[in-house]
Amino acid sequence: MSAGRWLLRAASLAAALGLWQLLTSLDVNLWLRFEQFPTVGEVASAFADRVGTGPYWQDLGHSLRRIGLGFVLAAVLGVAVGTAVARSRWAADLLGPLVEVVRPVPAIALVPVAILLLPTNEQGIVFITFAAAFFPVAVSTRHAVRALTPVWEEAVLTMGGERARVLFSVVLPGALPGIFGGLSVGIGVSWICVISAEMISGEYGVGYRTWQDYTVVDYPGVFVGMTTIGALGWLTSTAVELLGRRATAWLPRPAASTGGRAAAPRTAVPRKEPVA
């Protein structure tokens, strides 16, 4: 990314923070009421105080562990179920209806189910996180696998490749862009649901601490929690995106922008596909 784009992004954040500081410091009370909003300086001071304490990092560790466990389970099972439903008539008939019936149910609405089924709140929060990410991954994988051209699979089978070779050499690599699209959506939804679950039934975590700050009317602390959640969500989403780019580095990339000028066409050189 160019330096100009970095500067533009930094300027947009600075402008938003400046507007926030202006509205709160002047106690603007029109249709929106900013007189009770903490200023940017108050939130920054509270954030500096929290970062130097052990409970802040303890909450951070609990939330990251819950996200890590739930998201990894959702990624593995989501890819497996999505691939099976797309490639097997039996799996489509057995698992497809279950996925479609449960998928519209918000993951946070499964909190009572988690409390009834699982012995501890910790396992329940991980389950909620898993449920939030599982369906975007499974559905994206299913669509990505079904969208693959059958020519690739037929070529491998014609050359004597087995079904397992087709799966791991053609199907999964070809579906990677769609799979990582589902993973990117899933990690964002996971953060929404893990924070909500921590607010409802957690004992530690960023969501739990944010709700506790709200109950004691510590509004700067609430915004510290919101800022932490936003930063964690951005970092994990960026990590998934970078991993996806690394895993799909073999795909052709769109040409970079040339400042409004049309890029000169390049002669396509036929590539010889590797024989699996």
Side-chain angles (χ1 to χ4, degrees):
M1 186 182 298
S2 64
R5 293 187 63 189
W6 280 112
L7 288 175
L8 181 60
R9 295 186 178 195
S12 68
L13 289 175
L17 291 175
L19 181 61
W20 176 3
Q21 179 68 26
L22 179 65
L23 293 174
T24 52
S25 61
L26 296 178
D27 292 335
V28 174
N29 187 9
L30 298 174
W31 181 62
L32 298 175
R33 301 175 300 171
F34 288 94
E35 71 272 10
Q36 295 183 352
F37 241 57
T39 65
V40 176
E42 291 172 343
V43 174
S45 177
F47 187 82
D49 293 338
R50 291 285 180 90
V51 169
T53 63
Y56 177 84
W57 297 104
Q58 185 182 32
D59 292 333
L60 209 65
H62 278 84
S63 294
L64 285 173
R65 185 178 69 248
R66 291 160 178 165
I67 278 287
L69 289 174
F71 183 70
V72 169
L73 287 173
V76 174
L77 293 180
V79 171
V81 170
T83 304
V85 170
R87 293 189 51 85
S88 170
R89 184 179 302 173
W90 286 100
D93 292 339
L94 292 175
L95 300 177
L98 293 175
V99 171
E100 293 303 321
V101 168
V102 181
R103 182 165 65 97
V105 179
I108 197 62
L110 298 176
V111 169
V113 177
I115 293 174
L116 292 174
L117 288 179
L118 300 169
T120 66
N121 285 342
E122 185 71 18
Q123 294 173 355
I125 294 174
V126 173
F127 171 75
I128 296 300
T129 307
F130 160 78
F134 171 79
F135 293 103
V137 176
V139 173
S140 296
T141 301
R142 182 187 66 188
H143 288 304
V145 172
R146 285 179 176 174
L148 293 176
T149 176
V151 175
W152 301 346
E153 179 177 350
E154 293 170 359
V156 175
L157 293 175
T158 301
M159 291 183 287
E162 299 178 352
R163 291 289 180 181
R165 188 63 180 272
V166 171
L167 178 64
F168 291 103
S169 298
V170 175
V171 175
L172 291 179
L176 276 180
I179 291 173
F180 274 98
L183 291 174
S184 181
V185 174
I187 191 66
V189 179
S190 292
W191 273 113
I192 295 172
C193 291
V194 74
I195 296 301
S196 301
E198 287 176 348
M199 288 181 175
I200 295 173
S201 61
E203 296 178 359
Y204 300 100
V206 179
Y208 170 80
R209 194 66 55 190
T210 303
W211 182 253
Q212 291 301 307
D213 289 334
Y214 173 75
T215 58
V216 299
V217 200
D218 182 6
Y219 293 127
V222 172
F223 278 84
V224 169
M226 293 169 60
T227 303
T228 302
I229 295 165
L232 291 174
W234 175 69
L235 289 174
T236 51
S237 297
T238 301
V240 171
E241 182 179 351
L242 291 177
L243 182 60
R245 290 182 180 179
R246 179 67 62 88
T248 60
W250 51 273
L251 287 173
R253 302 294 180 187
S257 175
T258 57
R261 294 177 300 172
R266 294 180 298 176
T267 303
V269 179
R271 293 187 305 171
K272 185 177 181 181
E273 298 294 336
V275 178

